[in-house]
Amino acid sequence: MKLKPSLLMAAILVAGSFAVPAMVQAATAAPTDHSYAATLQPMNAKAIGFSTTGEATFKIHGDDLTIDIKVKGSPPNVTHWQHFHGLKGQMAATCATPAADTNGDGFVDLIETEPASGTTMVPFDDMPAKMDVAHGDYPKASADGSYHYHKIVSVKELSAAFAKAFDGQALNLNKRVLLIHGVADDTKLPATVKSLGPIPAQVTLPIACGKIE
């Protein structure tokens, strides 16, 4: 059946009344936003003599992940490694408790955190997406033991690097924990305090942890 010109024009106008708003809505839709936070609680405070606390936020807007980590009460004038740790698969990581000190030396070392917190994943250094845990430039605490780390990274870039390093896994921030590490180089630690490979235990000793939620 052939539509009359008047009916054809009406059909076009009706269709357009649905199509135009849909196109406008798609073009002007705001990026999906997500916010995560972690409250840092002290680890090994009695053993090292410092009670390290702080707050961290992770805010995603479009392709930007804005990371803010504020720490206080840490060993002063020390460079502090900081990362999010996690378990492989779908399990959520948690912060290790004092009960994780399985060898009874009075310290919960990095290796002893692994059953609860998992492995080191993303470094919060000068270039997180490089995923270079051992060679990044990490923040240094001031003389009063405080520091503020602020970094904006590409979600796409970080996600791709993370998937490559961890068998296609997603970042899944709400399943990770944030760990702050590090005491002064001259801190006396028992030989039973373990670290990774040749990295000194003073560098990797956990001093604070927070569940990212």
Side-chain angles (χ1 to χ4, degrees):
M1 180 179 69
K2 194 172 182 180
L3 288 175
K4 293 181 180 180
S6 58
L7 293 177
L8 180 60
M9 183 58 68
I12 293 171
L13 289 174
V14 169
S17 68
F18 289 99
V20 171
M23 288 188 291
V24 171
Q25 184 178 10
T28 59
T32 301
D33 292 349
H34 297 283
S35 293
Y36 304 86
T39 299
L40 295 167
Q41 301 292 340
M43 290 186 69
N44 293 307
K46 185 176 180 181
I48 65 174
F50 294 94
S51 184
T52 305
T53 59
E55 302 288 338
T57 58
F58 305 85
K59 297 180 179 180
I60 296 174
H61 180 73
D63 188 48
D64 288 340
L65 169 60
T66 302
I67 307 158
D68 272 291
I69 302 173
K70 296 179 180 179
V71 170
K72 59 183 180 181
S74 69
N77 303 312
V78 169
T79 297
H80 293 289
W81 287 20
Q82 49 182 12
H83 321 87
F84 82 56
H85 292 230
L87 298 165
K88 293 183 179 180
Q90 297 302 312
M91 293 182 62
T94 59
C95 290
T97 69
D101 177 22
T102 54
N103 62 12
D105 62 5
F107 295 83
V108 176
D109 62 39
L110 176 62
I111 307 306
E112 289 172 326
T113 68
E114 289 182 355
S117 302
T119 189
T120 303
M121 288 183 158
V122 174
F124 296 123
D125 55 8
D126 55 330
M127 298 185 70
K130 285 189 69 175
M131 302 285 288
D132 190 355
V133 171
H135 302 101
D137 184 11
Y138 292 95
K140 183 176 182 179
S142 63
D144 66 358
S146 66
Y147 69 84
H148 178 200
Y149 171 89
H150 175 83
K151 183 68 65 176
I152 300 175
V153 300
S154 162
V155 175
K156 183 177 180 180
E157 185 179 356
L158 182 59
S159 296
F162 187 83
K164 183 177 180 180
F166 293 100
D167 301 323
Q169 286 194 72
L171 289 173
N172 290 334
L173 286 171
N174 61 329
K175 294 184 178 181
R176 316 303 182 191
V177 295
L178 172 62
L179 275 171
I180 311 297
H181 308 263
V183 293
D185 294 343
D186 59 359
T187 302
K188 301 298 183 183
L189 299 176
T192 51
V193 176
K194 302 300 181 183
S195 185
L196 291 176
I199 303 172
Q202 286 83 355
V203 173
T204 65
L205 185 72
I207 62 171
C209 181
K211 177 78 174 68
I212 302 174
E213 298 177 311

